[in-house]
């Protein structure tokens, strides 16, 4: 008996339904498109984002009440013309300024390795600051070149090559819109022409770029003189015609020349919905740009036509209406730029732009785009006043240590040295620091000591001691009357020193250090007369008080007898 049994079929995988659902969802997944909006503060980015997403514009708020995020984000679904199917999900990323703290965050939200074929870059310029166009363009376009480098992986390099071929094919296959229907054939019999001079020389990654100049309605507004308001160029009168129109046309020629090098489009917008709607149609047209046709798909002798774009751009180019400029990628050339205004050298401006990007030192020999543009559009922005030069004071301790070392080497700078070393400072007199050419008077410390010793021995004040020792002075003061110098006013400190000197034993007569000098003799006599006058004045006052006290007891008995 054969117990063998036929082998059972393999069990189905447990995630069968999950795999089926995943395959269906993948086939019907909604593609994602990104738009990166680059611009400085208050350049009109919020209005552009609202138009791109077809959302109501934000309420106007004051500048100080506006809140900017490090990276602004919003999204909306892109639907077909019949509003039946969702064709893509559009995400818009906004950078508040060109500060590296903001721009360095974008690669984390929009990595070029995965998002490069589905990303459009919008550079926003503000017509109220026309002098900053070239500088801002250099800043933002250099950031785009840095962003596409990514991690340098092989997959990114392949995506960059395919993107470049797609953008180049868009330029070569571009045809100006017309009212006639498009041909139904998928091939073109004509031969593709090469790109013109100065066309797509940069932007190796093929990133679709749109340069948008906002607030174009302010270009010709009013008749005021430029330079007195928030915008302007060189004191010219705004309005059509004249030097003002020539300069604004020159600005547009410069912008078109730079956009041509990167394969970018140029648009002027106003708050009017019509200009913003044209910009949205062009942005969707570039986001859904078909890939470059394969040469193998064409018959011999023919050129394969590109696939149909689900969002065709039917708006004709406009280079004349100054507030509604429309220059799509693929239409412009050096010849069309020169037609606008004679005398413009597109080649020279292209070389000047290359010199700016080289970041070499300016030796004056090479032309620079920023210098040429500054001569065309002077900077009239209100700049803050320059700060005063920085003052670096010497630290307090360093200053004091320096002066301490210098003074320590000069003992005469210390006033306490006169009391510590009397012998070294014998020339210092009683009434002040008299020099060696003056009198050789006793030391202050010795004079005070003698005055105190005499006053202590007599048991009275220094004034009484001086009077007791020399009674003749009292008599002379009484008989002589008021001295001739009685009106002098002497400080108390000086009087005390003089009294102390009179109470001390009479020193030897003072002699000048230079006895042959007449000036020294006159000074000696004046000083001697001063001290004698001072002592006589004080002695007279003491005698008068004593006489008054002696008379008062004799008058009291006489009064008693009379009563």
């Amino acid at each position: 008996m054969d117990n063998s049994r036929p082998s059972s079929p393999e069990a189905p995988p447990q995630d069968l339904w999950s795999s089926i659902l995943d395959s269906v969802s993948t086939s019907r997944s909604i593609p994602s498109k990104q738009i990166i909006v680059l611009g400085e503060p208050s350049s009109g980015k919020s209005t552009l984002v609202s138009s791109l997403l077809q959302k109501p514009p934000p309420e106007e708020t004051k500048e100080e009440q506006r809140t900017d995020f490090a990276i602004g984000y919003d999204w909306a679904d892109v639907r077909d013309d019949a509003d039946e199917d969702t064709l893509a999900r559009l995400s818009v990323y906004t950078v508040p300024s060109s500060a590296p703290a903001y721009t360095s965050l974008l690669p984390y939200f929009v990595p070029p390795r995965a998002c490069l074929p589905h990303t459009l870059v919008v550079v926003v310029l503000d017509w109220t600051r026309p002098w900053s166009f070239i500088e801002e363009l250099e800043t933002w376009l250099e950031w785009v070149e840095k962003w596409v480098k990514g991690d340098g992986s092989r997959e990114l390099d392949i995506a960059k090559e395919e993107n470049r071929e797609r953008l180049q094919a868009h330029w070569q296959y571009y045809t100006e819109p017309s009212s006639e229907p498009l041909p139904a054939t998928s091939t073109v019999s004509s031969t593709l022409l090469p790109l013109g001079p100065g066309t797509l020389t940069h932007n190796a990654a093929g990133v679709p770029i749109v340069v948008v100049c906002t607030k174009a309605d302010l270009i010709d507004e009013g008749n005021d003189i430029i330079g007195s308001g928030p915008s302007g160029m060189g004191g010219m009168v705004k309005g059509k015609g004249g030097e003002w129109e020539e300069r604004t046309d020159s600005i547009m020629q410069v912008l078109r020349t730079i956009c041509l090098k990167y394969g970018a489009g140029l648009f002027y917008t106003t708050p009017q919905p019509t200009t913003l709607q044209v910009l949205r149609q062009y942005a969707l047209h570039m986001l859904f740009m078909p890939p470059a046709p394969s040469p193998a798909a064409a018959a011999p002798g023919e050129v394969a036509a590109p696939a149909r774009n689900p969002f065709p751009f039917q708006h004709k180019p406009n280079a004349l209406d100054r507030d509604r400029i429309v220059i799509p990628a693929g239409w412009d050339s050096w010849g069309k730029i020169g037609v606008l205004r004679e005398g413009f050298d597109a080649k020279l401006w292209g070389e000047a732009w290359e010199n700016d990007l080289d970041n070499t030192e300016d030796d004056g020999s090479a032309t620079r785009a920023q210098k040429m543009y500054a001569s065309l559009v002077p900077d009239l922005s209100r700049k803050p006043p320059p700060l005063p030069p920085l003052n670096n004071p010497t630290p307090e301790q360093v200053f004091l240590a320096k002066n301490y070392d210098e003074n320590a080497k000069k003992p005469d700078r210390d006033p306490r040295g006169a009391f510590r070393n009397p012998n070294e400072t014998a020339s210092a007199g009683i009434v002040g620091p008299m020099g060696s050419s003056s009198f050789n008077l006793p030391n202050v410390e010795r004079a005070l000591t003698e005055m105190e010793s005499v006053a202590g021995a007599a048991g009275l004040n220094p004034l009484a001691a001086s009077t007791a020792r020399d009674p003749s002075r009292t008599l002379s003061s009484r008989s002589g009357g008021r001295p001739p110098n009685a009106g002098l006013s002497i400080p108390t400190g000086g009087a005390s020193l003089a009294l102390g000197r009179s109470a001390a034993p009479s020193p030897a007569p003072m002699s000048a250090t230079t006895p042959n000098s007449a000036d020294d003799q006159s000074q000696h006599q004046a000083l001697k007369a001063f001290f004698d006058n001072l002592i006589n004045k004080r002695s007279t006052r003491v005698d008068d008080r004593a006489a008054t006290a002696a008379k008062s007891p004799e008058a009291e008995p006489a009064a008693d007898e009379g009563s």
Side-chain angles (χ1 to χ4, degrees):
M1 183 177 177
D2 190 3
N3 295 329
S4 63
R5 309 176 95 183
S7 58
S8 60
E10 296 181 358
Q14 298 180 358
D15 56 350
L16 176 62
W17 289 107
S18 299
S19 60
I20 295 175
L21 294 175
D22 290 342
S23 62
V24 173
S25 62
T26 302
S27 61
R28 300 188 59 182
S29 62
I30 300 175
S32 179
K33 302 292 183 179
Q34 294 85 23
I35 297 180
I36 301 176
V37 180
L38 307 175
E40 296 296 337
S42 303
S43 57
K45 299 187 296 293
S46 302
T47 304
L48 290 182
V49 172
S50 301
S51 175
L52 293 172
L53 299 176
Q54 289 188 329
K55 294 185 177 181
E59 297 180 359
E60 295 184 1
T61 57
K62 296 182 179 180
E63 186 67 23
E64 58 271 10
Q65 296 178 355
R66 184 175 301 171
T67 302
D68 284 333
F69 298 96
I71 297 293
Y73 174 77
D74 203 350
W75 65 276
D77 290 335
V78 179
R79 306 181 71 85
D80 57 2
D81 296 337
D83 199 13
E84 295 179 354
D85 297 332
T86 300
L87 302 181
R89 176 159 294 172
L90 181 61
S91 300
V92 179
Y93 297 88
T94 308
V95 181
S97 73
S98 59
Y102 301 124
T103 56
S104 60
L105 300 176
L106 269 176
Y108 297 98
F109 296 94
V110 191
R113 181 176 179 181
C115 301
L116 182 60
H118 312 287
T119 303
L120 170 73
V121 176
V122 177
V123 179
V124 182
L125 304 178
D126 187 357
W127 254 112
T128 60
R129 299 190 300 268
W131 51 80
S132 63
F133 282 177
I134 298 300
E135 182 181 359
E136 292 182 13
L137 269 180
E138 288 185 3
T139 301
W140 293 121
L141 293 178
E142 285 181 352
W143 178 87
V144 173
E145 296 285 358
K146 181 181 179 181
W147 171 71
V148 298
K149 293 181 180 179
D151 55 359
S153 60
R154 177 59 180 168
E155 292 82 359
L156 179 59
D157 294 340
I158 296 174
K160 290 163 62 175
E161 293 177 2
E162 294 177 352
N163 230 34
R164 170 77 179 193
E165 294 176 358
R166 183 180 65 163
L167 184 59
Q168 182 174 343
H170 175 81
W171 274 80
Q172 293 177 329
Y173 286 101
Y174 176 82
T175 57
E176 189 171 341
S178 63
S179 57
E180 299 178 0
L182 296 176
T185 58
S186 60
T187 59
V188 181
S189 59
S190 61
T191 305
L192 290 179
L193 298 177
L195 298 175
T199 303
L200 207 58
T201 57
H202 291 66
N203 193 9
V207 181
I209 302 174
V210 185
V211 177
V212 181
C213 298
T214 61
K215 307 175 186 178
D217 55 320
L218 302 179
I219 297 178
D220 300 325
E221 181 186 24
N223 294 320
D224 56 332
I225 295 179
I226 302 306
S228 60
S231 64
M233 294 186 295
M236 296 175 292
V237 177
K238 295 174 89 174
K240 295 185 178 180
E243 187 180 359
W244 169 249
E245 185 173 354
E246 292 180 4
R247 294 221 179 172
T248 53
D249 289 344
S250 299
I251 292 174
M252 183 171 61
Q253 288 178 310
V254 174
L255 296 178
R256 288 171 61 181
T257 303
I258 297 174
C259 291
L260 191 65
K261 300 177 73 66
Y262 289 83
L266 177 64
F267 284 73
Y268 284 14
T269 63
T270 65
Q272 298 297 328
T274 53
T275 59
L276 299 174
Q277 186 64 23
V278 172
L279 176 62
R280 181 179 185 274
Q281 294 175 2
Y282 181 77
L284 295 178
H285 175 73
M286 298 301 293
L287 282 172
F288 288 88
M289 184 176 17
S294 175
E302 295 181 348
V303 179
R308 181 179 178 274
N309 193 318
F311 291 94
F313 185 67
Q314 301 296 337
H315 200 280
K316 292 185 177 182
N318 183 3
L320 300 178
D321 295 332
R322 296 146 60 80
D323 56 345
R324 294 187 298 272
I325 297 297
V326 176
I327 309 294
W331 177 81
D332 215 355
S333 63
W334 278 6
K336 295 178 180 178
I337 295 174
V339 169
L340 181 64
R341 184 74 61 179
E342 296 181 359
F344 181 81
D345 191 350
K347 183 179 179 180
L348 177 63
W349 278 94
E351 294 176 354
W353 179 266
E354 298 289 345
N355 294 333
D356 278 6
L357 297 182
D358 290 342
N359 294 325
T360 57
E361 295 184 0
D362 187 8
D363 54 358
S365 60
T367 57
R368 299 280 179 171
Q370 290 197 20
K371 285 189 175 181
M372 295 173 60
Y373 191 78
S375 62
L376 177 66
V377 186
D379 185 359
L380 299 179
S381 59
R382 296 177 180 177
K383 298 181 179 180
L387 297 176
L390 183 61
N391 184 16
N392 292 326
T394 305
E396 181 180 359
Q397 296 300 323
V398 175
F399 175 79
L400 295 177
K402 177 182 178 181
N403 287 272
Y404 178 80
D405 294 339
E406 294 180 356
N407 293 331
K409 299 176 182 179
K410 301 178 180 179
D412 58 327
R413 297 292 300 273
D414 189 356
R416 296 172 295 179
F419 298 94
R420 295 175 180 175
N421 301 318
N423 297 328
E424 296 181 2
T425 59
S427 61
I430 298 176
V431 295
M434 304 180 70
S436 59
S437 61
S438 184
F439 305 102
N440 188 9
L441 300 178
N443 185 271
V444 175
E445 185 178 6
R446 188 180 65 184
L448 293 176
T449 304
E450 293 176 355
M451 182 180 66
E452 293 175 357
S453 61
V454 173
L460 39 81
N461 55 25
L463 182 61
S466 61
T467 306
R469 295 187 61 218
D470 195 358
S472 61
R473 294 182 179 179
T474 304
L475 297 176
S476 62
S477 63
R478 291 179 179 176
S479 60
R482 192 170 188 85
N485 294 330
L488 293 177
S489 148
I490 308 300
T492 305
S496 300
L497 295 177
L499 293 175
R501 180 172 172 265
S502 63
S506 300
M510 292 183 294
S511 62
T513 55
T514 56
N516 297 330
S517 176
D519 294 339
D520 293 343
Q521 289 290 340
S522 62
Q523 293 179 3
H524 172 73
Q525 295 175 0
L527 187 61
K528 184 176 182 302
F530 166 74
F531 282 113
D532 291 342
N533 182 30
L534 179 63
I535 295 173
N536 293 337
K537 181 179 178 181
R538 289 300 182 98
S539 301
T540 303
R541 292 181 180 179
V542 173
D543 294 341
D544 292 342
R545 292 178 182 177
T548 303
K551 291 179 180 180
S552 57
E554 296 176 357
E556 291 179 357
D560 294 339
E561 293 176 359
S563 59

